[in-house]
Amino acid sequence: MDQLDQRIMNLLQVDGRLSIKKMAEKLFISGPAVSQRLRQLEEAGLIQQYQAQLNYAENGLMIKAYVRLNLDPQDKTEFYPYIEKIPNILECDCVTGSYSILMKVIFCNTEELDHFVNQMQHFGPTNTQIVFSTPLASRGYQFEI
């Protein structure tokens, strides 16, 4: 990956809908060159997917929370397929510390969140923090060039 590839990825993280033509103009290269580099970045796994960033609150999902779960390692084979089916889980990470799983979740209201937390307690003890505000929203990593 060279600086031009990094510039392409920076542009996509700012605007994932940027056309090949616009990227080519910004990078001072041809459209086919941009297309070829994008294909190579995708094939190498450096670009995994293209995804819209939604305004959850405007879509009725007013409650964002982080749920920590102390999962017994033996339950991972049951837990992972189970959470794949729950669209409210935005992210799930295995972490260090007193809890082994950290999930970022969204729900319409606290009752739905409470129901979810109760379901998670089937797998182990939980700890939940509800988000009040987000001074820095999710963003892509910008390569320094």
Side-chain angles (χ1 to χ4, degrees), residues 51 54 56 61 63 80-92 103-108 112 116 119-120:
Q51 179 177 340
L54 304 180
Y56 298 117
L61 298 160
I63 305 297
Y80 292 158
Y82 179 78
I83 63 168
E84 282 285 330
K85 299 173 189 165
I86 303 173
N88 303 79
I89 302 173
L90 301 179
E91 294 179 29
C92 179
M103 293 174 279
K104 179 180 176 181
V105 299
I106 54 169
F107 288 94
C108 293
E112 289 180 4
F116 169 78
Q119 288 176 320
M120 290 298 105

Side-chain angles (χ1 to χ4, degrees), residues 55-65 106-110 130-132:
N55 182 330
Y56 298 117
E58 290 295 323
N59 284 286
L61 298 160
M62 305 301 288
I63 305 297
K64 178 168 63 171
I106 54 169
F107 288 94
C108 293
N109 54 53
T110 55
I130 294 176
V131 174
F132 288 141

Side-chain angles (χ1 to χ4, degrees), residues 41-97:
L41 290 168
E42 292 164 357
E43 288 172 359
L46 295 169
I47 296 176
Q48 293 183 327
Q49 66 178 342
Y50 299 88
Q51 179 177 340
Q53 203 166 28
L54 304 180
N55 182 330
Y56 298 117
E58 290 295 323
N59 284 286
L61 298 160
M62 305 301 288
I63 305 297
K64 178 168 63 171
Y66 291 91
V67 178
R68 293 184 288 177
L69 170 67
N70 192 359
L71 180 69
D72 186 322
Q74 296 174 351
D75 293 335
K76 287 181 178 182
T77 55
E78 178 188 354
F79 178 74
Y80 292 158
Y82 179 78
I83 63 168
E84 282 285 330
K85 299 173 189 165
I86 303 173
N88 303 79
I89 302 173
L90 301 179
E91 294 179 29
C92 179
D93 296 307
C94 294
V95 297
T96 61

